[in-house]
Amino acid sequence: MRSAWWALIGLICIVPATAFAQEISSVDLVPRPHDLRVGEGAFELRESTQIAIEPILPVLDIAAYLGELINTRTGFATSIWTGVPMDSSIVLSTGLVNDNPEAFELIVSPAEIRIKGAGPGGLLWGIQTLRQLLPSAFEDRTGEQRDSWWIPAVEIRDKPRYAWRGSLMDVSRHFFSVEFVKRYIDLLSRLKMNVLHWHLTEDQAWRLEIDQYPRLTEVGAWRTEPDGSRYGGSYTKDEVLEIIEYARVRGVMVVPEIEMPGHATAALVAYPELACSDPPKEVPNDWGVFPDIFCAGKPDTFTFLENVLDEVAELFPSPYIHIGGDEVPKDRWRDCSPCQEIIEREGLGDEDGLQAWFIQRIGEHLASRGKTLIGWDEILDGGGVPGSVVQVWRDQDTVREAIREGHDVIVSPTSHAYFDYSPAALSLEQVYSFDPALGLSEEEARHVLGGEANLWSEYITEANFDLQAFPRLLAMAEVLWSGSGDFDDFKSRLENNAYPRLRAMGVRIGPEDSDVVRLNVGTDAESGEPRVRVETSVDGLDVRYTTDSTSPTTASPLVTDSTSFVEGDQIVLGVFADDEPLPIRREFSVVDHLARGKSITLQHPPDSRYPGPSPSALTDGLLGSADHRDGLSQGWWEHDMVATIDLGEEREVELISTTFLRNLRAWIAPPDTVIVEVSRDGQNWQPASKPVGRISYWVNGEDVSRENRVQWGNGRYREVVRYIRITARQDQLPDDHPGAGHAAWLFADEIVVR
Ligand code: ACM
Ligand code: ZN
């Protein structure tokens, strides 16, 4: 409606200077403004447009940014004036009276544009709003030149709901170039997001140059990939300063994360003396939670960490430093006499107490450098750090716990903020329903600083980063700035304004609620056999396949509309953008059997993060890979899998088999017990097997088996049945596992019945 209305105004009221004169952007902004009034007419941005400012330095900076923005696309040499505004001016000032420094007022009339911020931050967000009011062609650097650009008359009064609107970029699992990091900062700023949480260290890499410990990056930034190639990279201090300055101009604070005491294998490979005992010799090239952590019992560990943090504190102007603190397996500390001596000496009780003591010590050191510690919510275990900020990720109930213990909180739960998950598991609509202050009193909610979208990069590289970030980042930006709203209205604003704008910038937008690659299983009308077709919902991607278990290359056959796979095919799919491989691999086989396509009922639905390709994933005829993230298996946590299949009629059955995944690094274990029952009427059940006992898979702390799929089957069996019920009991992680005492994840794939 609005865009049509504006097109009309353009045609009637404005004398077209060029063929594009009537092109006026929709006012469908993201994030949604607090108060928007549409006026009459439009402002013409042209060669003679000037920027008028109050002569104060932060405003001068912002004016220069706006001038450059205009010049880059239009070629107009927009000059900056202090004093009396001239004709056709954009007037910038910071005099707005509002207790929120990020508040602003943007008034566009045919005569002039006025942007007034409560502080420099507000002024900058006014400029980012103005940018969204230009036609999307303004964002296309390769587009045609025009003599003028039209901006619809509006009055906008706006301010953010939360002060902390961030995104985590994990540059450790995969490396991202300086240019790519800057590009992301620019995208964040356009959406009025103001924090880049830069995850710089991990098990798989240390990316930040530290003068006193050169081996951190010489050794710790490089790993040997399974194919033998070397992979890595790091940032020099000059590059970091360049990024910080680029972000500052765009209103984005860069908050570094230096992980401790866990997720530190790369540092321990570089400096093995900081571990409790022999750490690995090689930087890991796979994913998960690793047992080697910084030794809490050695004074050298603290000398090292304090020296590192001193360099970090000096480099980064951010008043916050994130120290991780998540997923710390305690088994090395349990076996280490210096660590045990500290527990004894300090009366810490146990290893949780030791972790709390460790983090408190680091917190005190940061405080002495004028910095506030941020840690993941595990820093609450065993007693928190006074004055620290807690970033909640495990589940949102922890938000209240952290606030009651006196902390301010950043909220980024797996349920809404883990953008490394497939959109099939975390959809755009789910992100849009995010409420960081869910269930909190008004007083409690004051301690919620805001939230973050987390882009963990095990399966993300520069090639598919956009597909994971977008469109969900638009939802996160709106939720944190404006609060959630009407989803249909949000979607129409995406279609009318945000999507064309992002595409004009060259941003690739991923699916809203499905996997990038979709497998559709149908049944051939003539033969009754399964036929699998493949599609991608993203324009411009090519899907290629192999049938010999190798990874597809650009020479492999292309999947087209007419490609289909049949019973017995073993397929590996790869996805390519402009002939560059994306880190998306799908491995599956097609199996036909009696239960395929038959009704299946699950007593507990799978965890929302691992829903599988459909509710009937266990009987869809598709058998996925051992990778639990391939979207083809379903995952349960703290629930057994109880599946009941109705074959539709009585059939003679001689085999019932299920595949379970095993990946102890990812806390996935096969079930403790599997019970199979059968029935003719769905009422009276009888066992089809004795329960299968515990499967032995964990010896002396090492997962000795190379087989990470466990098939449970019963082949010496013949009976006429209609209903089959399989109960797979979730296991506890074994005693010598870092997560001992916790439930294991249970992942199941196709239940094959023959
Ligand atoms: C986390 O996802 N381990 C913070
Ligand atoms: Zn130790």
Side-chain angles (χ1 to χ4, degrees):
M1 276 297 284
R2 277 174 186 149
S3 45
W5 166 244
W6 277 108
L8 204 61
I9 292 273
L11 284 168
I12 295 168
C13 307
I14 295 157
V15 183
T18 75
F20 305 105
Q22 65 271 46
E23 192 196 337
I24 296 185
S25 166
S26 85
V27 296
D28 285 346
L29 306 168
V30 175
R32 183 182 77 246
H34 192 66
D35 183 20
L36 162 76
R37 284 155 217 228
V38 177
E40 285 197 18
F43 177 89
E44 182 189 7
L45 175 67
R46 53 177 187 260
E47 178 73 52
S48 60
T49 300
Q50 294 165 350
I51 299 172
I53 58 163
E54 294 168 344
I56 60 169
L57 195 63
V59 180
L60 186 61
D61 251 19
I62 293 169
Y65 171 64
L66 174 61
E68 194 190 314
L69 210 71
I70 294 172
N71 177 262
T72 305
R73 175 61 180 95
T74 65
F76 304 160
T78 312
S79 55
I80 299 170
W81 290 75
T82 58
V84 187
M86 319 284 281
D87 178 38
S88 181
S89 292
I90 303 172
V91 185
L92 308 181
S93 66
T94 51
L96 185 69
V97 180
N98 196 301
D99 54 15
N100 187 330
E102 293 186 287
F104 69 90
E105 189 177 273
L106 164 63
I107 299 177
V108 180
S109 72
E112 65 172 12
I113 294 174
R114 286 186 169 269
I115 309 176
K116 193 183 268 196
L123 182 58
L124 184 74
W125 304 138
I127 287 171
Q128 298 297 20
T129 302
L130 179 66
R131 198 171 185 181
Q132 287 189 20
L133 292 169
L134 282 151
S136 56
F138 184 82
E139 304 297 350
D140 180 359
R141 295 265 171 105
T142 62
E144 288 171 73
Q145 286 304 336
R146 306 179 182 187
D147 295 333
S148 51
W149 297 82
W150 297 89
I151 300 168
V154 288
E155 287 193 17
I156 291 171
R157 288 171 184 83
D158 208 356
K159 61 178 181 187
R161 179 172 176 209
Y162 291 108
W164 191 288
R165 303 178 304 278
S167 179
L168 176 147
M169 188 180 207
D170 171 5
V171 294
S172 299
R173 269 61 174 261
H174 283 105
F175 183 66
F176 296 84
S177 69
V178 171
E179 279 317 304
F180 199 87
V181 175
K182 285 160 75 173
R183 174 183 182 271
Y184 190 49
I185 288 167
D186 186 61
L187 287 164
L188 290 173
S189 174
R190 289 162 182 270
L191 297 174
K192 307 195 228 319
M193 294 187 78
N194 60 1
V195 177
L196 178 78
H197 172 172
W198 206 12
H199 187 79
L200 286 161
T201 73
E202 252 306 333
D203 293 306
Q204 295 85 3
W206 183 288
R207 301 281 183 219
L208 177 66
E209 179 182 62
I210 299 291
D211 299 332
Q212 293 166 83
Y213 303 99
R215 285 174 58 82
L216 284 172
T217 43
E218 285 166 13
V219 173
W222 295 89
R223 61 178 184 249
T224 304
E225 296 289 58
D227 68 1
S229 62
R230 292 287 281 169
Y231 180 90
S234 58
Y235 307 101
T236 66
K237 288 192 169 173
D238 281 346
E239 287 171 332
V240 171
L241 289 172
E242 181 186 331
I243 284 170
I244 290 169
E245 173 59 12
Y246 184 89
R248 184 193 66 77
V249 169
R250 285 160 183 75
V252 175
M253 169 169 67
V254 182
V255 177
E257 181 179 354
I258 306 295
E259 274 266 23
M260 62 191 76
H263 284 295
T265 311
L268 297 176
V269 172
Y271 294 96
E273 62 275 20
L274 303 176
C276 291
S277 58
D278 307 328
K281 301 267 182 291
E282 300 280 340
V283 177
N285 62 8
D286 58 351
W287 321 122
V289 174
F290 291 78
D292 290 287
I293 63 177
F294 287 116
C295 177
K298 294 180 183 169
D300 283 357
T301 300
F302 290 96
T303 306
F304 167 84
L305 290 172
E306 289 170 9
N307 285 339
V308 166
L309 290 172
D310 285 351
E311 290 194 31
V312 173
E314 202 177 305
L315 189 59
F316 288 86
S318 155
Y320 302 93
I321 293 181
H322 203 307
I323 56 79
D326 60 317
E327 297 181 318
V328 184
K330 308 287 180 354
D331 41 346
R332 295 292 188 262
W333 285 359
R334 230 170 266 135
D335 297 337
C336 169
S337 43
C339 283
Q340 292 301 317
E341 276 162 28
I342 301 280
I343 293 176
E344 185 77 12
R345 190 187 80 200
E346 301 287 330
L348 303 173
D350 60 12
E351 290 75 21
D352 280 347
L354 182 59
Q355 158 135 345
W357 174 85
F358 184 113
I359 305 285
Q360 277 160 15
R361 201 168 153 177
I362 296 295
E364 281 163 22
H365 184 77
L366 288 180
S368 77
R369 298 294 184 269
K371 303 285 186 182
T372 297
L373 178 149
I374 307 176
W376 297 106
D377 58 50
E378 286 95 326
I379 69 167
L380 295 168
D381 300 346
V385 183
S388 64
V389 173
V390 174
Q391 181 163 11
V392 170
W393 72 280
R394 289 180 293 183
D395 77 70
Q396 220 173 327
D397 294 342
T398 314
V399 172
R400 175 173 286 128
E401 182 192 330
I403 290 170
R404 289 197 175 148
E405 291 179 21
H407 301 281
D408 284 348
V409 178
I410 299 161
V411 192
S412 60
T414 53
S415 57
H416 294 83
Y418 271 48
F419 286 14
D420 50 325
Y421 295 169
S422 159
L426 175 57
S427 68
L428 178 67
E429 188 164 8
Q430 171 76 358
V431 177
Y432 196 65
S433 72
F434 181 35
D435 177 1
L438 186 71
L440 300 182
S441 69
E442 217 170 286
E443 174 51 34
E444 287 168 335
R446 271 196 268 279
H447 295 281
V448 174
L449 300 180
E452 285 186 8
N454 295 345
L455 281 143
W456 300 104
S457 67
E458 288 94 335
Y459 300 91
I460 299 180
T461 67
E462 291 186 7
N464 68 334
F465 187 92
D466 288 0
L467 294 174
Q468 296 293 128
F470 293 97
R472 292 179 290 188
L473 193 69
L474 295 156
M476 184 60 80
E478 176 145 320
V479 161
L480 297 176
W481 179 276
S482 334
S484 193
D486 178 64
F487 185 63
D488 290 335
D489 171 69
F490 172 65
K491 285 251 296 191
S492 77
R493 282 181 285 119
L494 299 187
E495 299 290 346
N496 292 339
N497 191 323
Y499 286 174
R501 192 168 302 282
L502 287 167
R503 290 196 179 107
M505 284 174 227
V507 172
R508 221 183 272 281
I509 298 168
E512 293 173 0
D513 54 12
S514 68
D515 210 338
V516 171
V517 180
R518 282 201 295 249
L519 303 181
N520 296 322
V521 198
T523 299
D524 186 79
E526 274 175 31
S527 67
E529 286 170 3
R531 287 269 181 283
V532 176
R533 289 183 198 283
V534 180
E535 53 183 72
T536 164
S537 40
V538 182
D539 286 344
L541 297 186
D542 290 334
V543 182
R544 296 177 182 276
Y545 69 96
T546 61
T547 53
D548 60 0
S549 300
T550 60
S551 289
T553 66
T554 49
S556 307
L558 201 58
V559 172
T560 66
D561 288 348
S562 61
T563 310
S564 70
F565 302 110
V566 299
E567 157 86 341
D569 280 349
Q570 304 266 348
I571 303 298
V572 181
L573 299 177
V575 183
F576 298 80
D578 307 321
D579 283 345
E580 285 294 316
L582 272 48
I584 300 172
R585 180 187 154 104
R586 293 287 176 271
E587 215 178 314
F588 65 94
S589 52
V590 186
V591 280
D592 199 11
H593 56 94
L594 289 179
R596 185 182 65 81
K598 297 297 188 306
S599 142
I600 180 164
T601 316
L602 296 169
Q603 188 178 328
H604 308 287
D607 187 272
S608 63
R609 281 166 274 175
Y610 300 104
S614 72
S616 54
L618 297 179
T619 53
D620 63 359
L622 274 180
L623 186 60
S625 69
D627 177 1
H628 66 287
R629 319 217 5 184
D630 72 2
L632 296 180
S633 54
Q634 296 182 315
W636 285 264
W637 200 56
E638 295 186 333
H639 284 295
D640 295 338
M641 184 205 84
V642 185
T644 306
I645 296 168
D646 177 358
L647 296 175
E649 58 182 325
E650 292 188 351
R651 301 295 299 257
E652 192 173 77
V653 168
E654 58 184 30
L655 172 99
I656 304 168
S657 130
T658 312
T659 298
F660 298 100
L661 303 194
R662 163 167 55 199
N663 177 350
L664 286 156
R665 281 238 165 99
W667 294 31
I668 300 168
D672 179 66
T673 308
V674 181
I675 298 167
V676 181
E677 295 159 292
V678 291
S679 170
R680 294 180 100 137
D681 57 7
Q683 308 289 326
N684 301 297
W685 293 89
Q686 64 182 76
S689 71
K690 294 197 184 84
V692 175
R694 190 178 233 284
I695 302 159
S696 167
Y697 49 81
W698 181 260
V699 179
N700 297 331
E702 295 302 328
D703 183 6
V704 290
S705 168
R706 302 212 145 265
E707 177 55 71
N708 36 26
R709 292 200 299 182
V710 179
Q711 269 203 23
W712 180 87
N714 179 338
R716 291 183 300 282
Y717 174 74
R718 185 177 289 257
E719 191 155 2
V720 175
V721 306
R722 173 167 170 182
Y723 299 92
I724 298 167
R725 182 164 67 199
I726 301 190
T727 303
R729 297 255 159 85
Q730 193 137 39
D731 203 357
Q732 295 279 106
L733 288 159
D735 287 346
D736 52 358
H737 188 277
H742 292 276
W745 277 89
L746 177 67
F747 273 80
D749 203 341
E750 199 70 5
I751 298 173
V752 173
V753 179
R754 299 199 196 277

